[in-house]
Amino acid sequence: MKKITLFRNFDVVRGGSIHKGCAVAVSDGKILSVGDNSEIKDAEIIDGRGENYLLPGFIDLHVHGGGGFDFMDGDAAEYISASKFHASHGTTAHYPTTLSASREELLASVRAFDEAAAAGGGAKMLGIHLEGPYIAKSQKGAMDEKYIRDPIKEEYEELLAVSGNIRRMTIAPELPGAIELGAFLSEKGVLPSIGHTDCVCEDVIDAYTRGSYRLMTHLYSAMSQTRRIGVWRRAGAVEAAYLLDGMYVEIIADGIHLPPELLKLIYKIKGSGRIALITDSMRGSGMAQGTQSILGSRKNGLPCWIEDGVAKTYDRTAFAGSIATSDRLVRNMVYLAGASLPEASRMASETPAEIMGIKNSRGSIDAGKYADLVVMDRELRVRRTVVEGETVFEG
């Protein structure tokens, strides 16, 4: 007889509501049933005592590292350590993300992912997100300009041939060959995403129409807005994201990259069904404030500081990445943006699952889906993280 674990006396966040005193039965890594479940006997009981929420596990579409580890080091052990760190903050599945780098570093990171994903540990690694190198130099953020280039057909074909785990690529749509690259990726089941771009609105519409681009990478960050070109005022990528109803956006809801006013504006216009909360965190996530860190690989990365709840460049003139965690994003959408807990949960779980085409198996608490669950207390602090039915963090 298969073991059954019963989560009972929880306020379950499900279907846009909070179901008080609900129970969720888990068996063989999946959700068996949701409801009263009083007829289930001889189950292992995890009791919420009416004091805790049970939410679907958070799915982070954009994360570079954490806990002192970074995916650009090309080491499977670092992948696993970062995955365990983020699991302690409620992330049950994620898409490790690279930076613009040399061909050799990208290949090393991709191969390390394959090894780490096979071994497992912490949050489930569902696929790779390549952020660059096909981006605009004018919107490079903290990335090293020497690694930024226009799309190279032979290069991206090689990357996809080396690993079948690439699931997404962030691209500036105004670059030569970007529309063709988007169409190529879409045919291969890889999501093309718009980011690190200086494009005008028409470029986004073209990419959306002909290149199958359906997601904006960290809205507002490293992204064009309305500006004058010559004597003409031209809308940018941000305005295009609002204009296109079918365009999804991801946001770094740390309250720093996007202040509360912008969190409220994005939520008001796009709604929880088109927003994915992302950490975009680098290795400094979880490190003490006032310490030094590195954005990217230890070998070729950018030295930075961890302070004021964010990573800053060494000269403190710009951000050098996020140190957010998924639970912090959810709290901020509730406390800073005014979203309800079910709506914040949707942005952290269900909408990311929809974007990546995995909604049938993850993203909500429904029978038949993987038992990816997060227990949070009334202050929205993570108390337990469950990945495919197994507790990977308890605090």
Side-chain angles (χ1 to χ4, degrees):
M1 184 176 179
K2 290 181 179 179
K3 170 189 167 185
I4 296 177
T5 302
L6 186 62
F7 294 80
R8 70 180 185 189
N9 298 322
F10 283 92
D11 289 353
V12 177
V13 178
R14 179 173 182 258
S17 302
I18 298 175
H19 302 264
K20 293 187 174 295
C22 192
V24 175
V26 171
S27 180
D28 199 25
K30 293 191 175 182
I31 297 170
L32 185 64
S33 57
V34 183
D36 179 17
N37 286 310
S38 59
E39 76 284 356
I40 294 177
K41 308 299 182 185
D42 301 321
E44 176 192 1
I45 303 298
I46 298 176
D47 199 328
R49 303 184 305 278
E51 300 172 354
N52 294 284
Y53 297 107
L54 188 67
L55 298 88
F58 307 139
I59 301 172
D60 192 353
L61 304 185
H62 187 155
V63 51
H64 296 275
F69 307 98
D70 193 284
F71 304 129
M72 287 307 299
D73 283 320
D75 187 321
E78 298 222 3
Y79 267 92
I80 294 169
S81 295
S83 297
K84 289 179 178 178
F85 167 77
H86 283 289
S88 72
H89 291 276
T91 298
T92 57
H94 64 146
Y95 291 81
T97 302
T98 63
L99 292 170
S100 296
S102 68
R103 170 183 170 276
E104 291 73 25
E105 268 198 319
L106 288 176
L107 287 171
S109 185
V110 165
R111 291 187 175 112
F113 172 92
D114 293 346
E115 181 183 345
K124 189 81 173 179
M125 292 172 257
L126 298 183
I128 303 168
H129 167 205
L130 299 178
E131 187 179 13
Y134 311 134
I135 60 174
K137 290 182 178 180
S138 58
Q139 293 283 5
K140 68 182 187 298
M143 293 197 203
D144 193 330
E145 184 173 318
K146 70 182 178 185
Y147 296 122
I148 295 172
R149 47 200 182 271
D150 290 345
I152 302 169
K153 190 171 187 290
E154 295 75 19
E155 181 178 59
Y156 60 71
E157 286 182 341
E158 179 186 20
L159 284 167
L160 265 63
V162 165
S163 173
N165 286 314
I166 296 172
R167 295 288 180 268
R168 174 183 166 200
M169 187 180 293
T170 288
I171 305 153
E174 70 272 25
L175 298 180
I179 302 300
E180 293 75 13
L181 172 54
F184 170 82
L185 294 174
S186 185
E187 288 178 4
K188 298 293 184 181
V190 179
L191 177 70
S193 180
I194 294 173
H196 289 274
T197 174
D198 226 357
C199 69
V200 294
C201 182
E202 291 90 332
D203 294 324
V204 176
I205 293 172
D206 190 30
Y208 180 87
T209 304
R210 296 196 298 124
S212 298
Y213 289 78
R214 291 292 182 273
L215 175 64
M216 306 291 276
T217 298
H218 46 48
L219 189 69
Y220 281 98
S221 297
M223 184 173 290
S224 59
Q225 299 181 49
T226 298
R227 64 194 189 277
R228 286 191 181 276
I229 299 177
V231 298
W232 309 108
R233 182 172 288 111
R234 303 289 296 276
V238 169
E239 291 76 24
Y242 291 135
L243 182 64
L244 293 167
D245 292 337
M247 183 67 78
Y248 292 94
V249 301
E250 58 171 38
I251 60 173
I252 310 169
D254 61 358
I256 300 171
H257 282 79
L258 296 173
E261 297 81 7
L262 283 182
L263 293 178
K264 292 176 182 178
L265 177 65
I266 298 165
Y267 177 54
K268 180 177 181 178
I269 296 176
K270 297 301 291 186
S272 63
R274 284 289 182 269
I275 297 171
L277 306 182
I278 59 151
T279 63
D280 194 21
S281 69
M282 41 80 77
R283 78 170 75 240
S285 182
M287 294 174 64
Q289 296 291 300
T291 59
Q292 297 181 36
S293 187
I294 299 172
L295 175 67
S297 70
R298 290 186 176 91
K299 180 180 178 181
N300 295 314
L302 177 74
C304 58
W305 294 100
I306 306 301
E307 59 183 22
D308 299 325
V310 73
K312 299 177 183 175
T313 56
Y314 216 64
D315 61 4
R316 294 180 170 87
T317 60
F319 293 153
S322 162
I323 61 169
T325 53
S326 290
D327 54 340
R328 177 179 167 190
L329 307 177
V330 170
R331 287 192 296 270
N332 282 349
M333 291 309 293
V334 172
Y335 299 137
L336 299 182
S340 67
L341 180 57
E343 290 287 277
S345 172
R346 184 182 184 187
M347 290 181 271
S349 304
E350 187 173 354
T351 302
E354 184 175 290
I355 290 169
M356 299 308 299
I358 58 171
K359 191 176 178 180
N360 289 336
S361 60
R362 302 180 194 271
S364 61
I365 299 177
D366 291 304
K369 293 190 177 183
Y370 285 110
D372 292 349
L373 306 167
V374 179
V375 175
M376 302 186 90
D377 63 19
R378 294 307 190 205
E379 285 72 46
L380 303 184
R381 296 172 298 191
V382 174
R383 294 307 185 191
R384 182 188 293 263
T385 305
V386 179
V387 176
E388 295 187 359
E390 297 295 327
T391 295
V392 298
F393 170 78
E394 187 174 3

